[in-house]
Amino acid sequence: MTLRLGDIAPDFTQESTEGPIHFHQWAGSNWVVLFSHPADFTPVCTTELGYTAKLKDQFARRNVKALAVSVDPLDSHQRWVADIEETQDVKLNFPILADPDRKVATLYDMIHPNALANLTVRTVFVIDPDKKVRLTLTYPASTGRNFHEILRVIDSLQLTDEHKVATPANWQDGDEVVIVPSLTDADEIARRFPKGYRAVRPYLRLTPQPNR
Ligand code: BEZ
């Protein structure tokens, strides 16, 4: 099944390194980053999982839970976790789903057989507290993901959900943002953006980030 932005993220129950996970219940009112890995004991995956663990505070600040998945079985995951912790010098602080029956991989279309037979490629799903898919990314097995980019998109989603703004190219938290073109009422603009704005074009209006 192809998942599109705005779709409800499919629910599932699957074993993990932290016990069985009933996905929607486990997610609760948090945002979730669900990300897949081709296989256990592989070098790029090992660095990705270690790096994600190091971002624990960054995830917590944004009310985000991380959840990894690979098609290897639980006993393999458990041995791999020990390796990740030793080689990446970090304690793993989020679960890895064991998906040997490929239940999650199939639900989320994580296996792209023309790229990598029978294994998940590197997909990322950002899921909001309403369980809606808000971001999908697909990376090849040979390229480790940029987890700062994932955090940046979550910052943008959380900001733009609250304010009538969008974030421009290469935006970083604290930079100027754009006022959505649909907002044209001068009184509402003045109320929402008391620091003012500059109109480069009538459709391109930049304003300081409103939650700063
Ligand atoms: C890795 O995680 O290092 C990896 C996994 C599958 C293919 C290539 C690299």
Side-chain angles (χ1 to χ4, degrees):
M1 176 168 119
T2 302
L3 284 174
R4 295 177 177 168
L5 300 189
D7 289 353
I8 296 294
D11 199 12
F12 57 80
T13 298
Q14 192 63 299
E15 267 304 333
S16 86
T17 50
E18 296 186 4
I21 288 194
H22 309 287
F23 180 57
H24 281 191
Q25 188 188 340
W26 176 86
S29 59
N30 299 278
W31 291 68
V32 174
V33 173
L34 173 65
F35 59 122
S36 61
H37 294 272
D40 294 1
F41 299 101
T42 47
V44 177
C45 300
T46 299
T47 61
E48 288 191 319
L49 289 173
Y51 200 81
T52 303
K54 288 178 183 167
L55 291 174
K56 179 179 184 229
D57 292 346
Q58 296 286 337
F59 280 89
R61 195 176 302 156
R62 295 164 174 85
N63 193 30
V64 178
K65 284 174 129 179
L67 181 59
V69 55
S70 104
V71 297
D72 286 320
L74 190 58
D75 63 324
S76 165
H77 282 3
Q78 279 156 346
R79 283 182 280 113
W80 187 32
V81 166
D83 247 29
I84 295 166
E85 292 185 343
E86 191 179 330
T87 61
Q88 306 305 302
D89 195 23
V90 70
K91 181 109 188 76
L92 223 64
N93 43 47
F94 56 87
I96 308 174
L97 292 166
D99 198 37
D101 60 0
R102 291 156 171 69
K103 189 199 296 177
V104 178
T106 304
L107 273 174
Y108 283 79
D109 196 23
M110 291 166 163
I111 296 176
H112 298 198
N114 293 328
L116 194 61
N118 292 322
L119 300 174
T120 49
V121 289
R122 296 185 199 283
T123 61
V124 181
F125 292 88
V126 172
I127 297 159
D128 73 14
D130 294 328
K131 313 292 178 287
K132 283 196 175 151
V133 174
R134 301 296 300 276
L135 169 78
T136 64
L137 288 173
T138 307
Y139 278 54
S142 52
T143 305
R145 284 158 283 202
N146 184 333
F147 288 85
H148 295 285
E149 170 61 4
I150 295 166
L151 290 170
R152 190 188 76 89
V153 179
I154 292 169
D155 283 342
S156 172
L157 287 167
Q158 294 183 346
L159 175 73
T160 59
D161 279 357
E162 286 298 314
H163 301 274
K164 287 194 174 179
V165 297
T167 57
N170 295 338
W171 171 85
Q172 296 287 343
D173 191 33
D175 289 351
E176 280 186 319
V177 297
V178 300
I179 298 172
V180 292
S182 58
L183 180 55
T184 53
D185 180 77
D187 291 342
E188 187 178 350
I189 291 173
R191 184 167 44 78
R192 287 183 176 276
F193 307 109
K195 293 177 193 153
Y197 69 91
R198 58 192 179 90
V200 180
R201 288 286 184 277
Y203 61 84
L204 175 53
R205 301 166 298 175
L206 290 153
T207 187
Q209 188 173 312
N211 63 349
R212 281 295 181 111

Short mmCIF file of all heavy atoms in Angstrom, two decimals, residues 7 13 19-20 60 66-67 80-81 98-99 102 114 121 132 134 162 191 198:
data_model
loop_
_atom_site.label_atom_id
_atom_site.label_comp_id
_atom_site.label_asym_id
_atom_site.label_seq_id
_atom_site.Cartn_x
_atom_site.Cartn_y
_atom_site.Cartn_z
N ASP A 7 -2.62 10.63 5.03
CA ASP A 7 -3.24 9.33 5.33
C ASP A 7 -3.03 9.00 6.81
O ASP A 7 -2.05 9.44 7.43
CB ASP A 7 -2.58 8.21 4.50
CG ASP A 7 -2.94 8.29 3.02
OD1 ASP A 7 -3.79 9.12 2.65
OD2 ASP A 7 -2.34 7.51 2.24
N THR A 13 0.46 -4.40 15.62
CA THR A 13 1.08 -4.90 16.85
C THR A 13 2.27 -5.72 16.42
O THR A 13 2.16 -6.57 15.53
CB THR A 13 0.08 -5.76 17.65
OG1 THR A 13 -1.03 -4.94 18.03
CG2 THR A 13 0.73 -6.32 18.91
N GLY A 19 9.61 -4.88 24.15
CA GLY A 19 8.34 -5.60 24.34
C GLY A 19 7.38 -5.33 23.20
O GLY A 19 7.68 -4.56 22.29
N PRO A 20 6.18 -5.96 23.27
CA PRO A 20 5.22 -5.79 22.18
C PRO A 20 4.77 -4.35 22.06
O PRO A 20 4.57 -3.68 23.08
CB PRO A 20 4.04 -6.67 22.59
CG PRO A 20 4.47 -7.44 23.78
CD PRO A 20 5.69 -6.82 24.35
N ALA A 60 12.76 14.61 22.51
CA ALA A 60 11.87 14.84 23.66
C ALA A 60 11.34 16.28 23.65
O ALA A 60 10.17 16.53 23.92
CB ALA A 60 12.61 14.54 24.95
N ALA A 66 10.88 8.01 18.79
CA ALA A 66 11.53 7.32 17.67
C ALA A 66 11.19 5.83 17.73
O ALA A 66 11.09 5.25 18.81
CB ALA A 66 13.04 7.52 17.74
N LEU A 67 11.01 5.24 16.54
CA LEU A 67 10.72 3.81 16.45
C LEU A 67 11.39 3.27 15.19
O LEU A 67 11.04 3.67 14.07
CB LEU A 67 9.19 3.60 16.39
CG LEU A 67 8.69 2.16 16.31
CD1 LEU A 67 9.15 1.33 17.51
CD2 LEU A 67 7.16 2.13 16.22
N TRP A 80 22.43 -7.04 18.45
CA TRP A 80 22.90 -5.86 17.72
C TRP A 80 22.88 -4.62 18.62
O TRP A 80 23.80 -3.79 18.56
CB TRP A 80 22.03 -5.65 16.48
CG TRP A 80 22.48 -4.59 15.55
CD1 TRP A 80 23.77 -4.19 15.27
CD2 TRP A 80 21.63 -3.76 14.74
NE1 TRP A 80 23.77 -3.19 14.34
CE2 TRP A 80 22.48 -2.91 13.99
CE3 TRP A 80 20.26 -3.68 14.55
CZ2 TRP A 80 21.97 -1.97 13.09
CZ3 TRP A 80 19.75 -2.76 13.65
CH2 TRP A 80 20.61 -1.91 12.94
N VAL A 81 21.86 -4.50 19.47
CA VAL A 81 21.77 -3.34 20.37
C VAL A 81 23.04 -3.23 21.22
O VAL A 81 23.60 -2.15 21.39
CB VAL A 81 20.51 -3.43 21.26
CG1 VAL A 81 20.59 -2.44 22.42
CG2 VAL A 81 19.24 -3.18 20.43
N ALA A 98 10.96 -5.82 15.63
CA ALA A 98 11.40 -7.03 14.93
C ALA A 98 10.29 -7.38 13.94
O ALA A 98 9.14 -7.54 14.33
CB ALA A 98 11.60 -8.16 15.93
N ASP A 99 10.65 -7.48 12.68
CA ASP A 99 9.61 -7.59 11.65
C ASP A 99 9.90 -8.75 10.69
O ASP A 99 9.85 -8.57 9.46
CB ASP A 99 9.54 -6.25 10.90
CG ASP A 99 8.25 -6.07 10.12
OD1 ASP A 99 7.18 -6.51 10.59
OD2 ASP A 99 8.32 -5.50 9.02
N ARG A 102 7.52 -9.37 8.12
CA ARG A 102 7.39 -8.20 7.22
C ARG A 102 6.01 -7.54 7.29
O ARG A 102 5.54 -6.92 6.34
CB ARG A 102 7.72 -8.57 5.77
CG ARG A 102 9.22 -8.89 5.59
CD ARG A 102 9.52 -9.79 4.42
NE ARG A 102 10.94 -9.90 4.13
CZ ARG A 102 11.85 -10.52 4.88
NH1 ARG A 102 11.50 -11.04 6.05
NH2 ARG A 102 13.11 -10.59 4.50
N ASN A 114 13.06 -3.68 -6.46
CA ASN A 114 13.96 -3.38 -7.58
C ASN A 114 15.22 -2.65 -7.11
O ASN A 114 16.20 -2.51 -7.87
CB ASN A 114 13.24 -2.55 -8.64
CG ASN A 114 12.15 -3.36 -9.31
OD1 ASN A 114 12.29 -4.58 -9.45
ND2 ASN A 114 11.06 -2.72 -9.68
N VAL A 121 14.29 -0.67 2.53
CA VAL A 121 15.18 0.46 2.25
C VAL A 121 15.09 1.43 3.42
O VAL A 121 14.43 1.15 4.42
CB VAL A 121 14.83 1.15 0.91
CG1 VAL A 121 15.20 0.26 -0.26
CG2 VAL A 121 13.37 1.56 0.85
N LYS A 132 -1.69 11.02 11.62
CA LYS A 132 -1.59 11.31 10.18
C LYS A 132 -0.13 11.33 9.73
O LYS A 132 0.74 11.85 10.44
CB LYS A 132 -2.21 12.67 9.87
CG LYS A 132 -3.72 12.62 9.88
CD LYS A 132 -4.32 13.82 9.20
CE LYS A 132 -5.82 13.65 9.14
NZ LYS A 132 -6.54 14.90 9.14
N ARG A 134 2.81 12.86 7.97
CA ARG A 134 3.10 14.26 7.65
C ARG A 134 4.37 14.40 6.79
O ARG A 134 4.60 15.45 6.20
CB ARG A 134 3.25 15.06 8.94
CG ARG A 134 2.01 15.04 9.84
CD ARG A 134 0.80 15.70 9.19
NE ARG A 134 1.05 17.08 8.88
CZ ARG A 134 0.91 18.08 9.75
NH1 ARG A 134 0.49 17.84 10.98
NH2 ARG A 134 1.16 19.32 9.39
N GLU A 162 0.59 25.73 13.93
CA GLU A 162 0.14 26.70 14.95
C GLU A 162 -0.08 28.10 14.40
O GLU A 162 -0.81 28.88 14.97
CB GLU A 162 1.18 26.78 16.08
CG GLU A 162 1.19 25.58 17.01
CD GLU A 162 -0.14 25.40 17.74
OE1 GLU A 162 -0.68 26.40 18.25
OE2 GLU A 162 -0.64 24.25 17.75
N ARG A 191 -2.62 41.48 13.66
CA ARG A 191 -2.81 40.79 14.95
C ARG A 191 -1.87 39.58 15.06
O ARG A 191 -1.24 39.34 16.08
CB ARG A 191 -4.28 40.34 15.05
CG ARG A 191 -4.65 39.70 16.37
CD ARG A 191 -6.17 39.58 16.52
NE ARG A 191 -6.85 39.10 15.32
CZ ARG A 191 -6.90 37.83 14.94
NH1 ARG A 191 -6.28 36.92 15.65
NH2 ARG A 191 -7.54 37.48 13.84
N ARG A 198 7.71 42.12 5.63
CA ARG A 198 8.15 42.84 4.43
C ARG A 198 7.66 42.06 3.23
O ARG A 198 7.78 40.82 3.18
CB ARG A 198 9.66 43.05 4.42
CG ARG A 198 10.48 41.81 4.49
CD ARG A 198 11.97 42.11 4.76
NE ARG A 198 12.70 40.86 4.85
CZ ARG A 198 13.27 40.25 3.82
NH1 ARG A 198 13.22 40.79 2.61
NH2 ARG A 198 13.91 39.10 3.97
#
